[in-house]
């Protein structure tokens, strides 16, 4: 029997609050003294956060990147800095190592086509629902006809350093 868990963007584990924010990334906050919380660390997460699970020292984060934050990136790097923009369309499931709370680190990413809309964790499997809108094919190398398509993908997260897509159903 496997436990079904719904995701959230805020998670409390013992005296630590994990907060997923589209502008600040993943914040790790010490709440052992509720009157004086302090930020322990932060992981840069680019894109629009959809869901997060915190399990066994790892955060599993679903991020939609259909609407890339190129403006924020461009402003942070300085317009005209000569830095090329890495525009990415699509979504990702990211695994963030939380064992060093002062330095949470993205260790694995799984790319997903389209816009991630929802996830569920069932045991060691994350099920993700994503939609490829017809305009998505315009920006990709795909040769299929440009139609809307929704799919569910199962991702095995039993080993956080060897996360693998198991199956996809369109």
């Amino acid at each position: 029997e496997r436990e079904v868990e719904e995701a959230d963007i805020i998670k409390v584990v013992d005296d630590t609050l994990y907060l997923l924010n589209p502008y600040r990334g993943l914040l790790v906050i010490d709440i052992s003294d509720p009157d004086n919380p302090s930020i322990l660390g932060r992981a840069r997460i680019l894109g629009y956060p959809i869901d997060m699970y915190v399990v066994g020292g790892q955060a599993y984060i679903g991020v939609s990147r259909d609407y890339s934050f190129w403006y924020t990136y461009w402003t942070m790097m300085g317009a005209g800095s000569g830095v090329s923009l890495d525009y990415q369309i699509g979504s990702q499931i990211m695994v963030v190592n939380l064992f060093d709370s002062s330095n949470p680190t993205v260790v694995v990413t799984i790319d997903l086509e389209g816009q991630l809309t929802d996830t569920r964790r069932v045991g060691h499997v994350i099920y993700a629902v994503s939609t490829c809108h017809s305009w998505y094919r315009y920006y990709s190398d795909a040769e299929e006809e440009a139609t809307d398509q929704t799919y569910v993908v199962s991702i095995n997260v039993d080993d956080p350093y060897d996360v693998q897509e198991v199956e996809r159903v369109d």
Side-chain angles (χ1 to χ4, degrees):
E1 191 170 311
R2 301 182 301 165
E3 176 187 346
V4 177
E5 179 183 357
E6 290 190 40
D8 212 332
I9 58 170
I10 299 171
K11 184 78 172 179
V12 176
V13 178
D14 300 324
D15 290 334
T16 306
L17 174 89
Y18 300 95
L19 174 64
L20 193 54
N21 181 288
Y23 304 105
R24 301 283 184 225
L26 174 63
L27 297 170
V28 180
I29 303 169
D30 178 3
I31 57 170
S32 57
D33 179 1
D35 293 328
N36 190 24
S38 62
I39 296 175
L40 299 172
R42 179 176 87 105
R44 281 187 61 174
I45 306 292
L46 297 177
Y48 186 78
I50 302 295
D51 288 334
M52 174 178 63
Y53 305 93
V54 177
V55 181
Q58 310 291 333
Y60 300 93
I61 298 172
V63 178
S64 176
R65 296 182 74 170
D66 269 348
Y67 308 103
S68 178
F69 287 90
W70 64 270
Y71 177 77
T72 303
Y73 181 78
W74 184 254
T75 343
M76 287 178 358
M77 297 308 292
S81 67
V83 176
S84 63
L85 299 177
D86 180 21
Y87 182 79
Q88 180 173 359
I89 192 166
S91 299
Q92 291 181 325
I93 299 291
M94 299 177 165
V95 181
V96 179
N97 185 319
L98 301 173
F99 287 109
D100 179 0
S101 57
S102 66
N103 187 29
T105 308
V106 176
V107 292
V108 175
T109 60
I110 297 286
D111 292 330
L112 302 173
E113 277 188 294
Q115 182 179 11
L116 180 65
T117 55
D118 205 1
T119 66
R120 290 292 183 278
R121 186 177 73 84
V122 182
H124 294 291
V125 177
I126 292 177
Y127 295 93
V129 178
S130 188
T131 300
C132 296
H133 298 287
S134 58
W135 57 263
Y136 176 84
R137 303 268 188 250
Y138 178 80
Y139 294 100
S140 73
D141 294 332
E143 295 182 16
E144 301 98 38
E145 182 180 334
T147 59
D148 289 349
Q149 180 183 33
T150 299
Y151 68 92
V152 178
V153 62
S154 57
I155 300 167
N156 184 334
V157 295
D158 186 36
D159 179 352
Y161 297 98
D162 187 25
V163 176
Q164 297 181 9
E165 184 177 316
V166 177
E167 188 175 1
R168 174 179 159 158
V169 177
D170 293 339

